[in-house]
């Protein structure tokens, strides 16, 4: 049940609503590509600790310049600073002071005021290293008395690019560039203009995810290993800003993330994994919520019984309850856990995707929430459990565009594992429908009930779209998430094909002779894999795809993903053989499906050479193939014109090969 279906109405009102909805439907139009990448929605928001000031941002594209900017709107009160130019906004414990970063003309400053009447002033200049840091948390934290600020960054200016470039570390790539080799450090500074920052950590390793502790201590994360690039293993530390003494708060083989000190200073809550090998991206293990006494002791897992992946951890004002987001069967919803009783309950049982948790000093929880036919709106749930929708972006979009709810079905796969699928069907149809199988990335991501403008656009073009959560997807518990480890292209592939079979069986309007397959990242890998295993699809579109798991290991930003997912390094045991057998390129002779490959030129997550290898092999095999390379783009496209161009190219490719019944 979604947030707009919480209240009952009388029969007469129901009739009026039905008539009104019919009038709206008559005015709706099929969604355009421009709208699909530019629908108004609550992209981000900012609320003051007392809840009196509240602003929400919705992105808007200027198609003449191709630039997307957030347009901020005040819903309550007005902030003393411009939210559009502020990032990492953090308030003092009493809510009277605020600090944030602001970048202007290439220079970044820490701004702050420690009193409600004081002007907001630039405290100091800093720089941001470009190194990739997995799961990096808070960059700013106030001292409890509101007089000092701890922050994450560096005082070392951007170095001149080397020529030639000399590389001596494993993690030498960022998402779209080469690392500048500067380290993130923890600094503390007085909250007044012109103060000089004091470094609390060295430049020998990255430190990040800062939280002010009790008294002069500052909490942060760092990797204890000699080579942090080789093994992701964040531990929690506390440094005394006066003496420089460092103590270890949590030391485990897993990865601790997002440390948060309780309001009463007695506890530290954090998210963590427990396995010895954890990759910097596409993590198989679900992170859970833990607490430990501030002074140290035995960590306690507060939501073990939930068996779901968790994120965005926050303390309630009572210091007895933590609130966070968790994935659950295609939804992302807020949960709360009591740290004493370990009782864990959802704040809501809605079907959709929540994001951006923020809490006020009264315990009100703010978050955005989207549904399949409604882009994200802003919601508030009070400490007494009353929920209010604060924006109406979803309703306005629904008035203008014809959007569809997915039909959900579950089936038992080849080994009796239950698999969930979501089928989007065009609103008005005549005759058989062409079908697109859309495969999510990850592999430990998931399809679900959040808004997806791209899928709505394909449906508006007359396609049925099948979105499947095969084994390996998150949201179904740890055993299910582990289902594709060391098994890419096997069990997960069978889940996908059986989902197609089940959809064809349940929905006779689907045309088994006019099917396409597409996906991005791991979904791109699986798209390449599918067309090497079967010729039942008439068109394929792998986006940011993998084709050769051996060369992927050597070229990816995720230099640790292969040995986390495939039982060790490529040279361990018979892994080279396994990796090649599970590479689409090894089976290229089987491909007959016309293929459109799409990739960003600056993609370091999956290097563009993966698409190059696949494209070259397809053309030499005589398979119709086109390769589209987007300049300046990384793993996910940021430029609106590129997003729009890709949407239209995808639909045109599918039109060419699926719209004909021949």
């Amino acid at each position: 049940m979604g947030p707009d279906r919480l209240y009952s109405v009388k029969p007469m009102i129901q009739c009026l609503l039905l008539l009104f909805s019919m009038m709206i439907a008559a005015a709706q139009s099929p969604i355009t590509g421009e709208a699909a990448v530019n629908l108004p929605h609550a992209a981000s928001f900012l609320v003051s600790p007392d809840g009196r000031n509240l602003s929400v941002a919705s992105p808007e594209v200027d198609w003449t310049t191709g630039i997307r900017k957030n347009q901020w709107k005040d819903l309550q009160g007005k902030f003393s600073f411009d939210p559009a130019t502020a990032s990492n906004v953090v308030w003092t414990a009493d809510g009277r002071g605020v600090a944030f970063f602001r970048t202007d003309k290439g220079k970044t400053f820490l701004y702050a005021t420690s009193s409600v009447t004081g002007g907001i002033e630039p405290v100091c200049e800093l720089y941001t290293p470009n190194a990739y840091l997995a799961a990096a948390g808070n960059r700013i934290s106030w001292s409890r008395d509101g007089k000092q600020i701890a922050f994450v960054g560096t005082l070392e200016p951007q170095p001149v690019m080397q020529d030639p470039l000399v590389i001596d570390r494993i993690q030498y790539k960022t998402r779209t560039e080469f690392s500048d080799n500067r380290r993130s450090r923890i600094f503390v500074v007085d909250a007044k203009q012109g103060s000089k920052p004091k470094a609390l950590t060295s430049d020998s390793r990255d430190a990040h995810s800062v939280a002010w502790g009790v008294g002069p201590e500052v909490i942060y994360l760092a990797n204890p290993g000699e080579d942090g690039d080789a093994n992701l293993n964040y531990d929690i530390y506390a440094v005394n800003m006066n003496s420089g003494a460092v103590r270890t708060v949590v030391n485990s083989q897993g990865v601790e993330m997002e440390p948060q000190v309780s309001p009463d200073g007695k506890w530290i809550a954090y998210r963590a994994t427990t396995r010895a090998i954890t990759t910097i991206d596409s993590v198989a293990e679900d992170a859970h919520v833990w607490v430990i006494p501030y002074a140290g002791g035995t960590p306690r897992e507060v939501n073990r019984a939930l068996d779901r992946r968790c994120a965005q951890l926050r303390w309630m004002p009572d210091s007895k309850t933590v609130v966070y987001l968790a994935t659950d069967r295609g939804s992302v919803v807020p949960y709360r856990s009591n740290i004493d009783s370990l009782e864990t309950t959802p704040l809501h049982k809605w079907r959709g995707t929540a994001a951006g948790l923020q809490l006020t000093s009264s315990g009100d929880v703010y978050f955005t929430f989207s549904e399949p036919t409604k882009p994200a709106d802003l919601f508030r749930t009070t400490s007494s459990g009353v929920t209010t929708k604060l924006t109406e972006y979803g309703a306005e979009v629904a008035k203008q565009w014809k959007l569809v709810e997915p039909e959900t079905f579950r089936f038992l796969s080849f080994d009796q594992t239950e698999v969930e699928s979501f089928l989007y069907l065009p609103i008005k149809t005549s005759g058989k429908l062409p079908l697109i199988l859309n495969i999510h990335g990850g592999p430990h991501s998931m399809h679900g009930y959040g808004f997806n403008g791209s899928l709505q656009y394909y449906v508006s073009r007359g396609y049925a779209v099948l979105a499947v959560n095969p084994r390996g997807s998150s949201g179904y518990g740890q055993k299910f998430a582990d289902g594709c480890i060391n098994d890419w292209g096997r069990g997960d592939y069978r889940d996908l094909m059986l989902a197609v079979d089940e959809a064809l069986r349940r929905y006779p309007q689907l045309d088994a002779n006019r099917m396409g397959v597409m996906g991005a990242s791991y979904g791109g890998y699986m798209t390449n894999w599918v067309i090497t295993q079967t010729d039942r699809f008439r068109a394929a579109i792998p986006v940011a795809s993998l084709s050769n798991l051996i060369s992927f290991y050597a070229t990816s930003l995720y230099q640790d993903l292969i040995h986390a997912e495939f039982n060790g390094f490529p040279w361990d045991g018979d892994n080279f053989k396994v990796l090649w057998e599970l590479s689409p390129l090894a089976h290229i002779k089987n491909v007959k499906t016309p293929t459109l490959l799409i990739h960003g030129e600056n993609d370091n997550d999956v290097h563009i050479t993966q698409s190059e290898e696949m494209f070259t092999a397809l053309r030499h095999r005589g398979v119709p193939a086109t390769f589209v390379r987007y300049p300046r783009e990384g793993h996910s496209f940021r430029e609106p014109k590129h997003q729009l161009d890709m949407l239209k190219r995808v639909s045109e490719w599918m039109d060419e090969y699926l719209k004909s019944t021949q």
Side-chain angles (χ1 to χ4, degrees):
M1 179 176 288
D4 289 339
R5 295 185 287 276
L6 297 178
Y7 311 102
S8 61
V9 292
K10 294 180 179 180
M12 182 178 293
I13 297 177
Q14 287 179 319
C15 292
L16 291 173
L17 289 174
L18 177 61
L19 178 62
F20 182 63
S21 65
M22 292 174 64
M23 294 171 61
I24 290 176
Q28 291 172 323
S29 303
I31 192 168
T32 64
E34 287 81 357
V37 300
N38 191 34
L39 285 179
H41 66 280
S44 59
F45 64 95
L46 202 57
V47 60
S48 60
D50 59 11
R52 294 181 180 178
N53 302 300
L54 176 64
S55 292
V56 63
S58 179
E60 185 176 307
V61 175
D62 181 345
W63 289 110
T64 60
T65 62
I67 297 175
R68 177 187 286 111
K69 290 184 178 180
N70 276 338
Q71 304 300 321
W72 284 85
K73 177 183 179 182
D74 293 326
L75 301 183
Q76 294 174 196
K78 185 177 180 62
F79 290 104
S80 57
F81 58 92
D82 182 4
T85 62
S87 63
N88 302 88
V89 179
V90 178
W91 273 270
T92 55
D94 62 9
R96 295 167 58 85
V98 66
F100 54 85
F101 294 133
R102 177 181 288 163
T103 300
D104 184 34
K105 297 180 179 179
K107 291 187 176 183
T108 300
F109 287 87
L110 173 66
Y111 280 76
T113 178
S114 57
S115 69
V116 72
T117 58
I120 297 176
E121 303 170 333
V123 175
C124 64
E125 186 178 4
L126 69 147
Y127 304 92
T128 303
N130 73 348
Y132 179 82
L133 293 176
N138 294 339
R139 293 192 61 200
I140 298 175
S141 185
W142 281 92
S143 63
R144 294 188 171 238
D145 61 9
K147 295 181 178 180
Q148 294 174 301
I149 303 170
F151 67 90
V152 178
T154 182
L155 302 183
E156 181 183 350
Q158 172 73 40
V160 177
M161 178 61 71
Q162 297 181 41
D163 183 4
L165 180 63
V166 179
I167 296 169
D168 59 4
R169 58 181 296 189
I170 300 173
Q171 200 67 53
Y172 66 92
K173 290 183 177 181
T174 72
R175 280 247 151 95
T176 57
E177 303 174 295
F178 293 114
S179 173
D180 58 29
N181 285 327
R182 294 178 296 174
R183 295 290 189 177
S184 287
R185 304 173 67 183
I186 309 299
F187 295 87
V188 66
V189 65
D190 291 338
K192 55 186 179 181
Q193 188 173 12
S195 297
K196 184 177 180 180
K198 175 183 177 181
L200 301 184
T201 61
S202 73
D203 60 1
S204 61
R205 59 176 175 170
D206 289 305
H208 54 91
S209 304
V210 67
W212 203 289
V214 177
E217 282 195 326
V218 175
I219 308 300
Y220 66 95
L221 296 179
N223 194 319
E226 292 184 4
D227 187 352
D229 292 349
N231 184 29
L232 177 62
N233 176 24
Y234 297 154
D235 285 337
I236 302 178
Y237 297 92
V239 57
N240 187 301
M241 60 159 290
N242 295 327
S243 67
V246 176
R247 66 182 177 92
T248 301
V249 180
V250 179
N251 177 18
S252 75
Q253 69 175 3
V255 180
E256 283 71 50
M257 296 166 282
E258 211 174 353
Q260 304 281 335
V261 180
S262 61
D264 63 7
K266 295 180 179 180
W267 300 91
I268 299 175
Y270 58 97
R271 295 186 302 117
T273 58
T274 61
R275 296 176 180 175
I277 299 178
T278 301
T279 176
I280 61 176
D281 186 80
S282 190
V283 181
E285 184 182 1
D286 292 343
H288 287 190
V289 178
W290 298 70
V291 296
I292 189 171
Y294 180 83
T298 302
R300 179 191 308 165
E301 187 177 2
V302 302
N303 63 345
R304 176 179 295 186
L306 181 59
D307 192 24
R308 290 294 186 267
R309 185 165 301 208
C310 306
Q312 294 188 19
L313 174 64
R314 304 288 185 269
W315 277 103
M316 279 292 208
D318 63 5
S319 295
K320 296 293 184 183
T321 309
V322 288
V323 180
Y324 51 90
L325 300 180
T327 59
D328 185 32
R329 291 186 170 275
S331 291
V332 181
V333 293
Y335 277 76
R336 61 160 61 95
S337 293
N338 183 282
I339 67 171
D340 293 324
S341 68
L342 308 187
E343 180 183 4
T344 295
T345 56
L347 268 67
H348 306 289
K349 295 184 179 180
W350 302 343
R351 297 199 309 183
T353 298
L357 282 183
Q358 293 187 41
L359 273 64
T360 63
S361 55
S362 64
D364 292 352
V365 181
Y366 290 75
F367 57 94
T368 63
F369 192 83
S370 74
E371 297 178 90
T373 60
K374 296 173 183 176
D377 275 305
L378 179 61
F379 288 80
R380 176 183 61 229
T381 297
T382 66
S383 55
S384 60
V386 177
T387 298
T388 305
K389 184 165 64 171
L390 303 174
T391 60
E392 291 292 342
Y393 295 113
E396 292 301 317
V397 167
K399 290 179 183 178
Q400 186 173 4
W401 305 108
K402 292 180 180 178
L403 304 173
V404 300
E405 291 271 357
E407 299 193 21
T408 305
F409 65 88
R410 302 185 181 101
F411 66 94
L412 296 180
S413 193
F414 64 94
D415 59 356
Q416 302 304 297
T417 297
E418 185 181 72
V419 175
E420 187 168 42
S421 301
F422 309 89
L423 181 65
Y424 292 75
L425 293 168
I427 296 175
K428 293 182 180 180
T429 62
S430 59
K432 289 278 193 176
L433 291 170
L435 174 67
I436 298 175
L437 171 63
N438 186 283
I439 308 173
H440 69 61
H444 308 294
S445 179
M446 71 174 185
H447 283 302
Y449 295 103
F451 184 80
N452 189 314
S454 297
L455 298 191
Q456 293 288 350
Y457 176 69
Y458 303 143
V459 173
S460 76
R461 302 275 297 183
Y463 292 100
V465 180
L466 179 62
V468 185
N469 283 336
R471 66 194 63 207
S473 304
S474 63
Y476 301 88
Q478 190 59 67
K479 181 179 179 181
F480 195 86
D482 286 338
C484 67
I485 290 182
N486 207 42
D487 201 45
W488 289 20
R490 292 172 175 155
D492 45 8
Y493 166 74
R494 296 177 69 180
D495 289 346
L496 291 166
M497 294 304 100
L498 289 171
V500 172
D501 294 339
E502 186 70 13
L504 293 172
R505 184 184 71 81
R506 293 184 183 223
Y507 301 90
Q509 65 267 46
L510 300 179
D511 192 341
N513 296 314
R514 292 190 295 150
M515 298 194 301
V517 58
M518 66 176 296
S521 193
Y522 164 83
Y525 160 83
M526 190 55 71
T527 299
N528 285 335
W529 181 259
V530 164
I531 62 176
T532 67
Q533 306 301 306
T534 179
D535 59 2
R536 68 189 302 189
F537 296 93
R538 290 173 56 173
I541 306 178
V543 181
S545 65
L546 292 71
S547 63
N548 182 342
L549 294 180
I550 295 174
S551 58
F552 166 75
Y553 163 79
T555 57
S556 174
L557 162 68
Y558 311 135
Q559 40 77 26
D560 54 6
L561 178 60
I562 290 297
H563 67 263
E565 290 278 317
F566 288 94
N567 293 338
F569 294 100
W571 50 85
D572 290 337
D574 64 348
N575 279 356
F576 271 122
K577 178 182 178 182
V578 171
L579 292 174
W580 181 242
E581 288 178 349
L582 298 182
S583 296
L585 203 62
H587 310 277
I588 198 70
K589 291 183 179 180
N590 300 330
V591 182
K592 300 177 182 178
T593 308
T595 303
L596 171 67
L597 296 107
I598 294 173
H599 221 117
E601 289 279 6
N602 296 343
D603 185 355
N604 281 340
D605 297 47
V606 178
H607 201 269
I608 197 170
T609 51
Q610 290 291 302
S611 287
E612 289 176 340
E613 290 186 56
M614 192 72 182
F615 171 73
T616 301
L618 288 171
R619 291 302 294 262
H620 277 300
R621 293 291 305 157
V623 178
T626 298
F627 184 16
V628 184
R629 307 166 65 113
Y630 288 85
R632 301 177 300 282
E633 296 291 7
H635 200 52
S636 298
F637 290 5
R638 294 183 177 274
E639 297 183 24
K641 289 185 177 180
H642 286 164
Q643 294 170 343
L644 177 60
D645 183 84
M646 183 172 71
L647 267 186
K648 293 185 174 181
R649 286 184 189 276
V650 167
S651 62
E652 290 168 359
W653 189 265
M654 293 298 182
D655 288 350
E656 180 176 355
Y657 292 100
L658 301 190
K659 284 298 178 72
S660 171
T661 58
Q662 300 298 317

